Amino acid sequence: MIKNGNYTYLILVGIFITSLIISNLIFQKFFFLNLFGLNFELSVGIIFYPITFLVTDVVSEIFGKQKAKQMVFSGIISTIFCLFVIYVANYLPATEWSPVDNTTFNLVFGNTALAVGASMFAYLCAQLIDIRIYHFLKKITYGKHLWLRNNLSTIPSQCLDTCLILFLLCLGGAIPWDKFLILFAQGFFFKIIIAIIDTPIIYLCVFYLRKKFNLSSGEELK
């Protein structure tokens, strides 16, 4: 029988891992977005990737630092397994009548290994920094000012993540170097906007879970 707290934690881990993996799989498609009068040229993967930082902060707030770290490493293991599945699928030859032939499959998933490798390294560094900063701020603010630790932990970790993953993708040849600065600037700025937008979302999630588990402000579920 799964306890209520563990069940909620598993749901959050599921959302976290799904957001992480799907962002890596769809990263090769880029689109234009006009937001607040500004034009962005972004990977579709960037839309869902910030969810991982939102979930990390919710888990850190309700379940504690150790559970957040466990979730991060679960994400790494899941991503490695996903990479293995794609490698096997890409290796097996398609039949003549297959709706998706070898060329098309390789075109879509051919750079997945590079993307996943780059993403895993960037993701691990960024998430661990996010958790460390979040709990440092939580300690010095005595569990108050949730908006402060949510944004001040997410923004620098997202900056590091954006820089690292673009650097590694450019280094591997998946993205041309002349796109680095514009994609970094637009991607990081977009993530800042998302971090600000998700502040009321994390307040709602934390308020709901604190009420659900009868926790006081700053208290974590044991």
Side-chain angles (χ1 to χ4, degrees):
M1 185 69 177
I2 300 178
K3 293 182 180 179
N4 206 19
N6 290 338
Y7 183 70
T8 302
Y9 176 70
L10 288 176
I11 291 174
L12 291 170
V13 170
I15 295 172
F16 176 88
I17 292 175
T18 301
S19 301
L20 175 66
I21 291 178
I22 201 66
S23 296
N24 288 328
L25 295 181
I26 64 177
F27 87 99
Q28 293 190 80
K29 181 178 179 180
F30 286 77
F31 71 105
F32 286 101
L33 174 68
N34 184 280
L35 191 63
F36 306 125
L38 299 173
N39 292 318
F40 293 87
E41 189 176 343
L42 304 166
S43 164
V44 292
I46 204 173
I47 300 173
F48 303 99
Y49 190 67
I51 294 174
T52 62
F53 288 87
L54 171 64
V55 175
T56 299
D57 287 352
V58 172
V59 170
S60 291
E61 183 69 20
I62 300 299
F63 297 94
K65 185 177 182 179
Q66 196 59 37
K67 285 289 187 180
K69 284 186 175 180
Q70 288 176 6
M71 183 176 68
V72 168
F73 287 108
S74 295
I76 291 177
I77 294 171
S78 300
T79 303
I80 293 173
F81 180 70
C82 175
L83 181 60
F84 170 74
V85 171
I86 292 173
Y87 175 80
V88 172
N90 199 34
Y91 176 78
L92 297 174
T95 61
E96 292 183 1
W97 53 265
S98 176
V100 178
D101 58 24
N102 292 322
T103 303
T104 304
F105 191 91
N106 187 64
L107 180 64
V108 175
F109 295 106
N111 285 324
T112 298
L114 174 62
V116 169
S119 177
M120 274 199 304
F121 179 73
Y123 145 87
L124 178 61
C125 295
Q127 289 286 357
L128 292 180
I129 287 174
D130 179 81
I131 293 170
R132 183 175 292 273
I133 294 175
Y134 187 93
H135 282 277
F136 171 75
L137 293 172
K138 185 176 182 179
K139 182 178 180 179
I140 65 174
T141 58
Y142 303 101
K144 300 177 181 179
H145 309 303
L146 175 58
W147 64 272
L148 183 67
R149 56 182 176 274
N150 173 51
N151 287 289
L152 289 189
S153 65
T154 298
I155 290 174
S157 56
Q158 288 277 27
C159 178
L160 176 65
D161 178 81
T162 306
C163 182
L164 279 178
I165 193 168
L166 283 174
F167 176 79
L168 293 172
L169 288 175
C170 288
L171 192 66
I175 295 175
W177 280 105
D178 60 0
K179 291 285 186 182
F180 178 85
L181 286 178
I182 186 66
L183 289 178
F184 170 75
Q186 292 185 350
F188 179 50
F189 186 64
F190 178 79
K191 287 177 179 179
I192 291 177
I193 293 174
I194 296 300
I196 294 171
I197 291 174
D198 76 20
T199 300
I201 298 176
I202 192 173
Y203 266 93
L204 287 173
C205 292
V206 169
F207 174 79
Y208 170 77
L209 291 176
R210 287 201 180 285
K211 186 175 181 181
K212 181 182 179 70
F213 300 127
N214 196 28
L215 299 173
S216 58
S217 179
E219 186 182 3
E220 297 172 357
L221 194 64
K222 304 299 182 181

